[in-house]
Amino acid sequence: MAIRQTWGHFGTRRDVGIGFMLGNSRDPATEEQLSAENHLYGDLIRGHFDDAYLNLTLKTLSMLEWTASHCSGAKYLLKTDDDMFVNVPRLLDFVGEKSGEKRTIYGRLAERWPPVRDEKSKYFVSLEEFSAARYPTFTTGPAYLLTADIIQELFSKALEMPFFKMEDVFLTGIVAEQLQIQRVGDSQFLNQRLSTIGSGRCKVKTVISIHDLKPNELYEFWKQSLDGSGCK
């Protein structure tokens, strides 16, 4: 609801669409609640997989599949997490500046990142899963932007390759490299946390994506993005 009432409000524009990608719950009560929510808002997209952290790759693939089938006229696709603030006007300005560019993924670039080998970490990757010392260049998962011409291509190629649980590394790194899709870094995809007080709250107008926010913080950043008083 925080997203719907803040930056998700731009989904009411004719040139912007926003959907929430979900999998399945094994709890009947949760499934009933989701059905009721979708009946009310009509913005849930459901994939056929258990909605769990280790299935993020399946969730993102489902997003690509659905977009290719139902949004063939779209020019860009932004994948973003639900704990994000997205500065949609700045995103639309960014898209306008990139008009005509093809076969590109934009985001926060991760170069020469090593796999996490600590078994206690949720990001742990075994040598059997990925044996190389460094990941290929990828864009970090909190938010990245795809040109629409690669959506179907990424989806199809991913189905031919061994499953890898780190969705951003897999799709924007491993698969994109196989397809020779360029990954372009831009500092406007901050993809990290900012404070809703002090200088952090003023920076909201200069970035596209802010990560790791609670619902009440989304409202704070939304208000600041509209107002901006007290910021130079």
Side-chain angles (χ1 to χ4, degrees):
M1 285 306 300
I3 291 173
R4 290 188 184 106
Q5 293 175 356
T6 59
W7 64 266
H9 179 70
F10 285 99
T12 59
R13 289 175 51 133
R14 293 185 64 183
D15 57 345
V16 177
I18 295 176
F20 297 94
M21 189 75 224
L22 294 89
N24 297 318
S25 171
R26 299 192 181 190
D27 175 31
T30 299
E31 283 294 311
E32 187 174 332
Q33 288 176 328
L34 289 172
S35 295
E37 181 179 355
N38 196 43
H39 180 74
L40 185 60
Y41 296 104
D43 55 9
L44 305 188
I45 303 167
R46 307 295 303 277
H48 300 294
F49 55 87
D50 284 345
D51 202 310
Y53 180 75
L54 294 179
N55 282 340
L56 281 178
T57 294
L58 296 181
K59 179 177 283 192
T60 309
L61 284 174
S62 294
M63 175 195 71
L64 296 177
E65 181 182 28
W66 188 91
T67 305
S69 299
H70 298 280
C71 297
S72 59
K75 295 180 180 179
Y76 294 89
L77 170 64
L78 179 79
K79 178 267 176 185
T80 186
D81 291 350
D82 61 359
D83 59 350
M84 301 289 289
F85 182 83
V86 176
N87 186 337
V88 179
R90 195 160 188 91
L91 173 65
L92 294 176
D93 287 343
F94 180 86
V95 163
E97 293 165 5
K98 306 299 180 183
S99 179
E101 295 195 17
K102 302 293 184 183
R103 298 184 59 74
T104 305
I105 303 173
Y106 304 97
R108 181 194 170 201
L109 215 56
E111 299 179 285
R112 298 186 57 77
W113 279 25
V116 175
R117 301 302 190 191
D118 180 3
E119 294 185 10
K120 295 180 181 178
S121 171
K122 74 173 186 177
Y123 304 113
F124 168 69
V125 172
S126 68
L127 288 169
E128 289 74 22
E129 292 173 299
F130 190 88
S131 60
R134 305 282 176 182
Y135 289 133
T137 297
F138 67 98
T139 52
T140 59
Y144 53 81
L145 182 72
L146 315 174
T147 57
D149 56 323
I150 60 173
I151 292 173
Q152 182 62 55
E153 194 176 4
L154 273 172
F155 174 70
S156 299
K157 187 65 176 179
L159 296 184
E160 300 173 2
M161 301 182 69
F163 176 86
F164 187 62
K165 63 189 178 187
M166 311 298 289
E167 62 90 11
D168 49 0
V169 175
F170 180 59
L171 283 166
T172 75
I174 297 170
V175 180
E177 187 168 87
Q178 285 278 323
L179 294 171
Q180 297 183 315
I181 293 168
Q182 64 176 339
R183 285 84 82 198
V184 175
D186 194 290
S187 60
Q188 294 178 89
F189 291 90
L190 190 64
N191 285 7
Q192 65 186 45
R193 181 174 173 77
L194 282 179
S195 173
T196 57
I197 59 175
S199 60
R201 65 191 260 282
C202 294
K203 195 173 181 180
V204 65
K205 289 197 171 187
T206 70
V207 297
I208 291 173
S209 55
I210 304 170
H211 187 212
D212 192 23
L213 300 176
K214 297 179 176 64
N216 66 297
E217 293 174 315
L218 290 181
Y219 290 107
E220 288 295 323
F221 276 129
W222 173 246
K223 183 169 66 175
Q224 190 62 26
S225 71
L226 296 176
D227 179 13
S229 60
C231 295
K232 295 181 180 179

